Protein backbone atom coordinates (compact mmCIF):
# COMPACT_ATOMS: atom_id res chain seq x y z
CA UNK A 1 0.00 0.00 0.00
CA UNK A 2 1.98 2.86 1.09
CA UNK A 3 5.40 3.46 2.35
CA UNK A 4 6.84 6.78 3.23
CA UNK A 5 10.49 6.64 2.56
CA UNK A 6 11.66 3.37 1.31
CA UNK A 7 9.04 1.11 0.03
CA UNK A 8 6.37 -1.41 0.54
CA UNK A 9 6.21 -4.91 -0.58
CA UNK A 10 3.61 -7.36 -1.66
CA UNK A 11 2.55 -9.55 1.15
CA UNK A 12 -0.09 -7.43 2.67
CA UNK A 13 -0.93 -3.88 3.50
CA UNK A 14 1.84 -2.61 5.71
CA UNK A 15 2.75 0.72 7.14
CA UNK A 16 6.41 1.08 7.87
CA UNK A 17 8.65 4.00 8.61
CA UNK A 18 12.39 4.35 8.27
CA UNK A 19 14.60 7.38 7.95
CA UNK A 20 15.85 8.09 4.46
CA UNK A 21 19.53 7.36 4.26
CA UNK A 22 19.85 6.20 0.67
CA UNK A 23 22.32 8.39 -1.26
CA UNK A 24 23.54 9.99 1.97
CA UNK A 25 25.09 13.43 1.78
CA UNK A 26 28.80 13.62 2.55
CA UNK A 27 29.51 13.89 6.26
CA UNK A 28 32.40 15.56 8.04
CA UNK A 29 33.86 13.63 10.93
CA UNK A 30 34.42 16.81 12.95
CA UNK A 31 30.74 17.75 12.84
CA UNK A 32 28.58 16.96 15.84
CA UNK A 33 25.45 15.11 14.71
CA UNK A 34 22.09 15.04 16.44
CA UNK A 35 20.26 11.73 16.72
CA UNK A 36 17.25 11.16 14.45
CA UNK A 37 13.99 11.74 16.30
CA UNK A 38 12.07 8.61 17.24
CA UNK A 39 8.38 8.04 16.56
CA UNK A 40 5.52 6.76 18.67
CA UNK A 41 2.49 5.18 17.03
CA UNK A 42 -1.21 5.26 17.69
CA UNK A 43 -4.14 3.49 16.02
CA UNK A 44 -7.74 4.58 15.77
CA UNK A 45 -10.75 3.45 13.77
CA UNK A 46 -13.67 5.08 12.00
CA UNK A 47 -11.50 7.46 9.99
CA UNK A 48 -12.61 8.30 6.45
CA UNK A 49 -10.29 8.90 3.51
CA UNK A 50 -9.63 12.52 2.57
CA UNK A 51 -8.74 11.39 -0.94
CA UNK A 52 -6.67 12.75 -3.79
CA UNK A 53 -7.96 14.71 -6.78
CA UNK A 54 -4.84 15.20 -8.91
CA UNK A 55 -3.67 12.24 -10.99
CA UNK A 56 0.13 11.87 -10.70
CA UNK A 57 0.28 9.83 -13.89
CA UNK A 58 1.38 6.63 -12.15
CA UNK A 59 -0.46 3.88 -14.09
CA UNK A 60 1.97 0.99 -14.01
CA UNK A 61 2.00 -2.78 -13.61
CA UNK A 62 3.76 -5.08 -11.16
CA UNK A 63 6.46 -7.71 -11.05
CA UNK A 64 4.08 -10.56 -11.93
CA UNK A 65 1.46 -8.60 -13.86
CA UNK A 66 -0.06 -10.54 -16.75
CA UNK A 67 -0.03 -7.58 -19.11
CA UNK A 68 3.78 -7.39 -19.10
CA UNK A 69 3.92 -3.92 -17.58
CA UNK A 70 6.35 -2.99 -14.82
CA UNK A 71 6.08 -1.01 -11.58
CA UNK A 72 7.32 2.56 -11.62
CA UNK A 73 7.97 5.60 -9.44
CA UNK A 74 6.47 9.03 -9.99
CA UNK A 75 7.79 12.37 -8.63
CA UNK A 76 5.81 14.13 -5.91
CA UNK A 77 6.18 17.84 -5.18
CA UNK A 78 5.08 18.70 -1.66
CA UNK A 79 2.97 21.86 -1.26
CA UNK A 80 4.85 22.60 1.96
CA UNK A 81 8.10 21.31 3.51
CA UNK A 82 7.63 17.80 4.88
CA UNK A 83 9.58 16.70 7.93
CA UNK A 84 10.66 13.09 8.16
CA UNK A 85 13.10 11.68 10.71
CA UNK A 86 14.49 15.11 11.48
CA UNK A 87 15.05 16.06 7.86
CA UNK A 88 13.04 18.41 5.69
CA UNK A 89 11.95 17.45 2.16
CA UNK A 90 10.25 19.33 -0.66
CA UNK A 91 9.82 16.33 -2.96
CA UNK A 92 9.77 12.53 -2.99
CA UNK A 93 8.86 9.56 -5.21
CA UNK A 94 5.63 7.54 -5.11
CA UNK A 95 5.91 3.87 -6.08
CA UNK A 96 3.22 1.75 -7.73
CA UNK A 97 3.66 -0.82 -4.96
CA UNK A 98 2.39 1.57 -2.32
CA UNK A 99 5.32 3.51 -0.92
CA UNK A 100 6.81 6.99 -0.82
CA UNK A 101 10.58 7.12 -1.08
CA UNK A 102 12.78 9.84 0.41
CA UNK A 103 16.22 9.79 -1.16
CA UNK A 104 15.93 6.51 -3.07
CA UNK A 105 14.41 5.33 -6.35
CA UNK A 106 13.50 1.64 -6.33
CA UNK A 107 10.54 -0.52 -7.31
CA UNK A 108 9.35 -3.80 -5.92
CA UNK A 109 10.65 -6.88 -7.75
CA UNK A 110 8.91 -9.60 -5.77
CA UNK A 111 5.28 -10.17 -4.91
CA UNK A 112 5.50 -12.33 -1.81
CA UNK A 113 7.72 -10.59 0.74
CA UNK A 114 6.84 -8.42 3.69
CA UNK A 115 8.74 -5.54 5.20
CA UNK A 116 11.47 -5.05 6.01
CA UNK A 117 12.28 -5.62 2.36
CA UNK A 118 16.06 -5.94 1.87
CA UNK A 119 15.78 -4.73 -1.72
CA UNK A 120 14.60 -1.28 -0.72
CA UNK A 121 15.96 1.57 1.34
CA UNK A 122 14.71 3.18 4.57
CA UNK A 123 11.01 4.06 4.75
CA UNK A 124 7.72 4.96 6.33
CA UNK A 125 5.59 2.33 4.67
CA UNK A 126 2.05 1.12 4.35
CA UNK A 127 2.25 -2.27 2.75
CA UNK A 128 -0.48 -3.53 0.49
CA UNK A 129 -0.72 -7.18 -0.29
CA UNK A 130 0.65 -9.11 -3.20
CA UNK A 131 1.47 -7.72 -6.64
CA UNK A 132 -0.15 -4.29 -6.63
CA UNK A 133 -0.57 -2.40 -9.87
CA UNK A 134 -2.22 0.83 -11.01
CA UNK A 135 -2.60 0.11 -14.73
CA UNK A 136 -5.52 -2.30 -15.12
CA UNK A 137 -8.45 0.09 -14.70
CA UNK A 138 -8.88 3.74 -15.73
CA UNK A 139 -9.92 4.50 -12.14
CA UNK A 140 -6.64 3.10 -10.77
CA UNK A 141 -3.61 5.27 -10.06
CA UNK A 142 -1.86 7.41 -7.46
CA UNK A 143 -3.62 10.67 -6.67
CA UNK A 144 -2.68 13.64 -4.50
CA UNK A 145 -4.74 16.27 -2.73
CA UNK A 146 -4.30 19.26 -0.43
CA UNK A 147 -6.90 19.70 2.30
CA UNK A 148 -7.34 22.73 4.58
CA UNK A 149 -5.73 26.17 4.40
CA UNK A 150 -2.22 27.33 5.30
CA UNK A 151 -0.68 26.95 7.80
CA UNK A 152 -2.87 23.94 8.69
CA UNK A 153 -2.87 21.95 5.47
CA UNK A 154 -2.80 18.17 5.04
CA UNK A 155 -1.17 16.66 1.96
CA UNK A 156 -2.64 13.32 0.88
CA UNK A 157 -1.19 10.66 -1.40
CA UNK A 158 -3.90 8.11 -2.29
CA UNK A 159 -3.48 4.71 -3.95
CA UNK A 160 -6.38 3.21 -5.90
CA UNK A 161 -4.97 -0.10 -7.00
CA UNK A 162 -5.61 -3.72 -7.71
CA UNK A 163 -4.01 -7.13 -7.59
CA UNK A 164 -2.17 -8.06 -10.78
CA UNK A 165 -3.42 -11.05 -12.71
CA UNK A 166 -6.96 -11.30 -11.34
CA UNK A 167 -10.15 -10.52 -13.16
CA UNK A 168 -10.83 -6.92 -12.30
CA UNK A 169 -14.52 -7.48 -12.49
CA UNK A 170 -13.91 -8.90 -9.01
CA UNK A 171 -14.04 -6.09 -6.38
CA UNK A 172 -12.17 -8.28 -3.92
CA UNK A 173 -8.98 -7.59 -5.85
CA UNK A 174 -8.94 -3.85 -5.16
CA UNK A 175 -7.51 -1.55 -2.48
CA UNK A 176 -7.85 2.11 -1.55
CA UNK A 177 -5.57 3.73 1.04
CA UNK A 178 -3.66 6.95 1.61
CA UNK A 179 -0.68 8.56 3.33
CA UNK A 180 -1.04 11.92 5.06
CA UNK A 181 1.47 14.66 5.88
CA UNK A 182 0.62 17.57 8.17
CA UNK A 183 1.98 21.07 7.54
CA UNK A 184 4.44 22.30 10.16
CA UNK A 185 4.58 18.89 11.83
CA UNK A 186 6.62 15.69 11.72
CA UNK A 187 3.40 13.69 12.04
CA UNK A 188 2.72 11.19 9.25
CA UNK A 189 -0.15 8.74 9.04
CA UNK A 190 -1.76 6.07 6.89
CA UNK A 191 -5.50 5.51 6.48
CA UNK A 192 -7.10 2.41 4.99
CA UNK A 193 -10.20 2.55 2.90
CA UNK A 194 -11.31 -0.64 1.15
CA UNK A 195 -8.83 -3.46 1.73
CA UNK A 196 -10.34 -6.78 0.71
CA UNK A 197 -9.27 -10.37 0.98
CA UNK A 198 -9.02 -12.27 -2.27
CA UNK A 199 -8.57 -15.80 -3.55
CA UNK A 200 -4.81 -15.70 -3.02
CA UNK A 201 -5.12 -15.22 0.72
CA UNK A 202 -5.57 -12.37 3.22
CA UNK A 203 -3.95 -8.97 2.81
CA UNK A 204 -1.57 -8.47 5.70
CA UNK A 205 -0.88 -5.01 6.99
CA UNK A 206 1.67 -3.52 9.32
CA UNK A 207 3.17 -0.16 10.08
CA UNK A 208 6.84 -0.07 10.94
CA UNK A 209 9.49 2.52 11.63
CA UNK A 210 13.26 2.36 11.52
CA UNK A 211 16.02 5.02 11.60
CA UNK A 212 18.12 2.85 9.28
CA UNK A 213 17.76 1.02 5.98
CA UNK A 214 15.72 -2.18 6.20
CA UNK A 215 18.61 -4.47 5.36
CA UNK A 216 20.05 -5.72 8.63
CA UNK A 217 18.12 -3.17 10.67
CA UNK A 218 17.17 -4.08 14.23
CA UNK A 219 15.54 -0.74 15.07
CA UNK A 220 12.19 -1.50 13.49
CA UNK A 221 8.93 -0.49 15.16
CA UNK A 222 5.60 -1.90 14.05
CA UNK A 223 2.61 0.38 14.44
CA UNK A 224 0.13 -2.51 14.52
CA UNK A 225 1.97 -4.71 17.00
CA UNK A 226 3.15 -7.46 14.64
CA UNK A 227 6.44 -9.29 14.98
CA UNK A 228 9.34 -8.13 12.83
CA UNK A 229 9.54 -11.44 11.01
CA UNK A 230 6.22 -11.55 9.22
CA UNK A 231 3.13 -9.84 7.95
CA UNK A 232 0.10 -8.81 9.90
CA UNK A 233 -3.66 -9.15 9.43
CA UNK A 234 -6.12 -7.22 7.31
CA UNK A 235 -6.92 -3.79 8.82
CA UNK A 236 -10.55 -2.80 8.99
CA UNK A 237 -11.81 -0.08 6.71
CA UNK A 238 -11.30 3.26 8.46
CA UNK A 239 -8.16 2.19 10.35
CA UNK A 240 -5.65 5.03 10.80
CA UNK A 241 -2.07 4.52 11.99
CA UNK A 242 -0.28 7.70 13.03
CA UNK A 243 3.42 8.27 13.66
CA UNK A 244 4.23 11.17 15.98
CA UNK A 245 7.72 12.44 16.68
CA UNK A 246 9.02 11.65 20.13
CA UNK A 247 11.34 14.40 21.38
CA UNK A 248 14.85 13.07 21.77
CA UNK A 249 17.48 14.23 24.23
CA UNK A 250 20.00 16.59 22.65
CA UNK A 251 23.50 15.40 21.86
CA UNK A 252 25.93 17.03 24.31
CA UNK A 253 29.21 18.26 22.85
CA UNK A 254 31.71 19.13 25.58
CA UNK A 255 33.87 22.22 25.30
CA UNK A 256 36.87 20.10 24.25
CA UNK A 257 34.96 18.08 21.64
CA UNK A 258 36.45 17.48 18.21
CA UNK A 259 33.66 19.52 16.61
CA UNK A 260 34.69 22.71 18.47
CA UNK A 261 37.41 25.02 17.18
CA UNK A 262 38.90 28.01 19.02
CA UNK A 263 40.79 31.11 17.93
CA UNK A 264 42.63 33.44 20.31
CA UNK A 265 43.87 32.63 23.81
CA UNK A 266 41.65 30.41 25.94
CA UNK A 267 42.10 29.02 29.45
CA UNK A 268 40.80 25.65 30.63
CA UNK A 269 39.07 25.48 34.00
CA UNK A 270 36.60 23.60 36.18
CA UNK A 271 32.85 23.92 36.45
CA UNK A 272 32.00 22.25 39.71
CA UNK A 273 28.30 22.84 40.36
CA UNK A 274 25.51 20.33 39.72
CA UNK A 275 24.15 22.45 36.87
CA UNK A 276 27.34 22.17 34.82
CA UNK A 277 27.57 19.79 31.88
CA UNK A 278 28.61 16.20 32.73
CA UNK A 279 32.27 16.88 31.92
CA UNK A 280 32.52 19.48 34.75
CA UNK A 281 34.92 21.52 32.64
CA UNK A 282 34.75 24.82 30.84
CA UNK A 283 37.08 27.06 28.92
CA UNK A 284 37.12 30.87 28.98
CA UNK A 285 38.76 33.87 27.36
CA UNK A 286 39.12 37.61 27.76
CA UNK A 287 41.16 38.01 24.59
CA UNK A 288 39.98 40.58 22.07
CA UNK A 289 38.24 38.98 19.10
CA UNK A 290 38.48 35.44 20.48
CA UNK A 291 36.03 32.96 18.96
CA UNK A 292 34.65 29.46 19.51
CA UNK A 293 32.97 27.65 16.60
CA UNK A 294 30.92 24.45 16.73
CA UNK A 295 30.28 22.52 13.52
CA UNK A 296 27.18 20.37 13.85
CA UNK A 297 24.59 18.43 11.87
CA UNK A 298 21.00 18.90 13.00
CA UNK A 299 18.39 21.63 13.28
CA UNK A 300 19.65 23.60 16.28
CA UNK A 301 22.61 24.00 18.63
CA UNK A 302 22.35 25.56 22.11
CA UNK A 303 25.29 26.96 24.04
CA UNK A 304 25.80 26.17 27.73
CA UNK A 305 27.79 28.72 29.76
CA UNK A 306 28.15 30.38 33.16
CA UNK A 307 27.15 33.95 33.94
CA UNK A 308 28.76 36.06 36.67
CA UNK A 309 30.27 39.41 37.69
CA UNK A 310 33.05 39.09 35.09
CA UNK A 311 30.75 37.96 32.28
CA UNK A 312 30.84 40.02 29.13
CA UNK A 313 28.92 40.42 25.91
CA UNK A 314 29.12 37.79 23.19
CA UNK A 315 28.07 37.86 19.54
CA UNK A 316 26.24 34.68 18.50
CA UNK A 317 26.40 33.71 14.82
CA UNK A 318 24.90 30.78 12.90
CA UNK A 319 26.31 29.87 9.49
CA UNK A 320 28.29 33.10 9.56
CA UNK A 321 25.25 35.34 10.10
CA UNK A 322 24.78 37.44 13.21
CA UNK A 323 21.85 36.27 15.34
CA UNK A 324 22.02 38.32 18.55
CA UNK A 325 24.20 39.61 21.39
CA UNK A 326 24.25 37.58 24.61
CA UNK A 327 25.08 39.21 27.96
CA UNK A 328 26.90 36.88 30.38
CA UNK A 329 26.84 39.35 33.28
CA UNK A 330 25.00 38.48 36.50
CA UNK A 331 25.65 39.70 40.09
CA UNK A 332 26.48 36.15 41.23
CA UNK A 333 27.84 33.12 39.40
CA UNK A 334 25.17 30.98 37.77
CA UNK A 335 26.38 27.80 36.08
CA UNK A 336 24.66 25.80 33.40
CA UNK A 337 22.83 28.64 31.67
CA UNK A 338 21.48 27.53 28.27
CA UNK A 339 21.37 30.01 25.40
CA UNK A 340 19.31 28.66 22.52
CA UNK A 341 20.42 28.98 18.93
CA UNK A 342 17.89 29.49 16.10
CA UNK A 343 16.18 26.51 14.49
CA UNK A 344 17.37 25.83 10.94
CA UNK A 345 16.61 23.28 8.26
CA UNK A 346 18.20 19.95 9.12
CA UNK A 347 21.75 19.78 7.81
CA UNK A 348 25.32 20.83 8.50
CA UNK A 349 25.71 24.20 10.27
CA UNK A 350 28.11 26.26 12.36
CA UNK A 351 27.48 28.16 15.58
CA UNK A 352 30.12 30.79 16.40
CA UNK A 353 30.64 32.74 19.63
CA UNK A 354 32.64 35.96 19.35
CA UNK A 355 33.88 37.79 22.45
CA UNK A 356 32.86 41.45 22.43
CA UNK A 357 33.69 42.44 26.02
CA UNK A 358 34.39 40.94 29.45
CA UNK A 359 34.77 37.20 29.77
CA UNK A 360 33.40 34.57 27.40
CA UNK A 361 33.15 30.97 28.58
CA UNK A 362 32.03 27.67 27.05
CA UNK A 363 30.77 24.78 29.17
CA UNK A 364 29.21 22.68 26.39
CA UNK A 365 26.86 22.68 23.41
CA UNK A 366 23.59 20.78 22.93
CA UNK A 367 22.75 19.69 19.40
CA UNK A 368 19.23 18.81 18.24
Amino acid sequence: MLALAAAIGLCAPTIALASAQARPAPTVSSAAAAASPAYTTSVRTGVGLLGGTTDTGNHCGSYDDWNNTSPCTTPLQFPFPVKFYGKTYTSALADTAGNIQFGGDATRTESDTCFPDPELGPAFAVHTGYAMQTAEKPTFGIFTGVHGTAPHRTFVVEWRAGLAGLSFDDPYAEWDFEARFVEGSSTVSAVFGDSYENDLGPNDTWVRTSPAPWRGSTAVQDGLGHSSGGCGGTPAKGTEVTFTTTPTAPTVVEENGAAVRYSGTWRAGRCGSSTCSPGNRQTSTSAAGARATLTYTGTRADWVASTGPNGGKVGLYVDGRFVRTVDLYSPTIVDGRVFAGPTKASGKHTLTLKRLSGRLNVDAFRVR
Side-chain angles (χ1 to χ4, degrees):
M1 289 188 165
L2 59 119
L4 307 180
I8 159 185
L10 303 171
C11 160
T14 300
I15 308 171
L17 177 60
S19 66
Q21 295 175 353
R23 306 178 186 174
T27 57
V28 180
S29 59
S30 62
S36 296
Y39 283 87
T40 57
T41 59
S42 60
V43 179
R44 63 175 181 153
T45 58
V47 179
L49 294 176
L50 293 176
T53 56
T54 301
D55 189 341
T56 65
N58 188 299
H59 300 281
C60 300
S62 70
Y63 167 72
D64 56 359
D65 198 349
W66 290 2
N67 60 14
N68 296 318
T69 58
S70 300
C72 64
T73 57
T74 300
L76 296 176
Q77 193 69 34
F78 296 124
F80 48 79
V82 165
K83 296 179 181 179
F84 185 75
Y85 269 106
K87 294 185 177 181
T88 301
Y89 298 87
T90 58
S91 61
L93 294 173
D95 184 16
T96 304
N99 66 83
I100 299 174
Q101 304 177 28
F102 295 85
D105 186 359
T107 55
R108 294 285 300 192
T109 59
E110 294 185 24
S111 62
D112 58 356
T113 57
C114 295
F115 277 115
D117 183 344
E119 298 179 359
L120 299 169
F124 164 63
V126 179
H127 181 195
T128 62
Y130 309 105
M132 252 184 40
Q133 56 81 38
T134 58
E136 193 76 18
K137 280 188 173 182
T139 55
F140 285 176
I142 300 176
F143 301 83
T144 61
V146 181
H147 299 265
T149 57
H152 306 293
R153 292 172 291 177
T154 298
F155 180 62
V156 170
V157 183
E158 180 190 8
W159 277 259
R160 304 172 198 164
L163 177 63
L166 287 191
S167 166
F168 286 94
D169 293 330
D170 181 358
Y172 296 101
E174 299 183 15
W175 297 287
D176 194 2
F177 52 88
E178 67 187 25
R180 297 179 181 179
F181 302 88
V182 179
E183 186 172 12
S185 170
S186 295
T187 298
V188 293
S189 60
V191 180
F192 292 93
D194 294 327
S195 181
Y196 295 110
E197 294 187 359
N198 53 55
D199 61 358
L200 295 184
N203 298 327
D204 295 327
T205 303
W206 38 271
V207 182
R208 290 177 179 168
T209 66
S210 175
W214 297 112
R215 184 183 294 276
S217 175
T218 58
V220 175
Q221 181 180 5
D222 178 12
L224 291 176
H226 304 310
S227 67
S228 61
C231 300
T234 303
K237 181 177 180 178
T239 298
E240 177 188 55
V241 181
T242 299
F243 289 86
T244 304
T245 302
T246 301
T248 56
T251 300
V252 176
V253 181
E254 296 290 352
E255 91 294 341
N256 62 348
V260 187
R261 294 288 182 266
Y262 295 94
S263 64
T265 302
W266 291 75
R267 179 179 177 180
R270 298 284 296 173
C271 183
S273 72
S274 60
T275 56
C276 296
S277 67
N280 291 323
R281 301 180 304 269
Q282 65 176 217
T283 186
S284 61
T285 183
S286 296
R291 296 173 183 246
T293 298
L294 167 74
T295 301
Y296 66 96
T297 299
T299 59
R300 195 181 88 198
D302 301 336
W303 160 44
V304 184
S306 299
T307 61
N310 295 324
K313 293 185 178 181
V314 180
L316 189 152
Y317 298 77
V318 171
D319 296 336
R321 294 178 177 240
F322 176 76
V323 176
R324 68 179 187 276
T325 298
V326 177
D327 192 346
L328 294 182
Y329 172 81
S330 62
T332 59
I333 295 176
V334 180
D335 294 323
R337 293 285 303 276
V338 178
F339 300 95
T343 299
K344 309 287 286 185
S346 181
K348 182 181 175 183
H349 303 284
T350 59
L351 184 148
T352 298
L353 307 172
K354 179 181 178 182
R355 177 197 172 273
L356 302 178
S357 65
R359 180 176 295 174
L360 159 63
N361 69 87
V362 176
D363 182 358
F365 297 94
R366 299 177 182 176
V367 176
R368 300 180 184 274

